[in-house]
Amino acid sequence: MQLVASALNGAIKDVKKGEIPGIHLDNFLGSLKSLVEKVPFIKDAVAMYYCMKDSETPTFVKGIIAAALIYLFLPEDAIPEWVLGLGFTDDMIVMSTALSAISGNITEAHWQKAEEFFQA
């Protein structure tokens, strides 16, 4: 029980800092850039990422974003990506639900950074 509490405490600290627990973000944006042609909601994911990294974003919003982005990159999810035509359906549902929940926290600056990222 103490091990779970310790892991949860570490994950909460990561989220407060704008990091995704258990995932190294060194190549996070590069991974997203490679999906831009295949996945229509990738620009939303990048805007959410910039929102999560913003120190002004509330912790609970960062947690919602972290959960959605973790789900996006999980190799095993409800519908595997290799299922033609349906692979990203579950990811789209998770991302759109998260985006609806936190949309008031994503600023024009976050959207602008996402746009600049894809133009670079």
Side-chain angles (χ1 to χ4, degrees):
M1 181 72 147
Q2 208 158 18
L3 181 63
V4 171
S6 177
L8 185 57
N9 189 32
I12 291 170
K13 286 180 184 176
D14 286 347
V15 168
K16 283 183 179 179
K17 291 187 294 186
E19 299 174 3
I20 300 174
I23 294 180
H24 299 286
L25 297 177
D26 296 338
N27 199 25
F28 174 76
L29 291 177
S31 298
L32 288 179
K33 205 171 206 178
S34 69
L35 293 175
V36 73
E37 298 297 322
K38 302 174 192 165
V39 185
F41 52 84
I42 285 301
K43 287 186 181 180
D44 297 336
V46 174
M48 290 170 68
Y49 169 80
Y50 284 120
C51 180
M52 184 181 74
K53 298 300 286 179
D54 189 340
S55 62
E56 299 295 315
T57 301
T59 301
F60 80 93
V61 172
K62 290 181 180 188
I64 291 169
I65 294 170
L69 294 178
I70 287 170
Y71 189 84
L72 181 62
F73 284 98
L74 278 176
E76 291 98 23
D77 52 14
I79 303 173
E81 274 65 36
W82 56 265
V83 177
L84 191 60
L86 296 175
F88 285 105
T89 306
D90 59 327
D91 300 283
M92 183 176 63
I93 292 168
V94 168
M95 293 299 290
S96 64
T97 302
L99 191 59
S100 319
I102 57 103
S103 63
N105 294 280
I106 299 180
T107 66
E108 187 59 39
H110 301 138
W111 289 111
Q112 183 63 35
K113 284 182 182 179
E115 193 63 38
E116 289 169 3
F117 170 75
F118 285 105
Q119 291 177 0

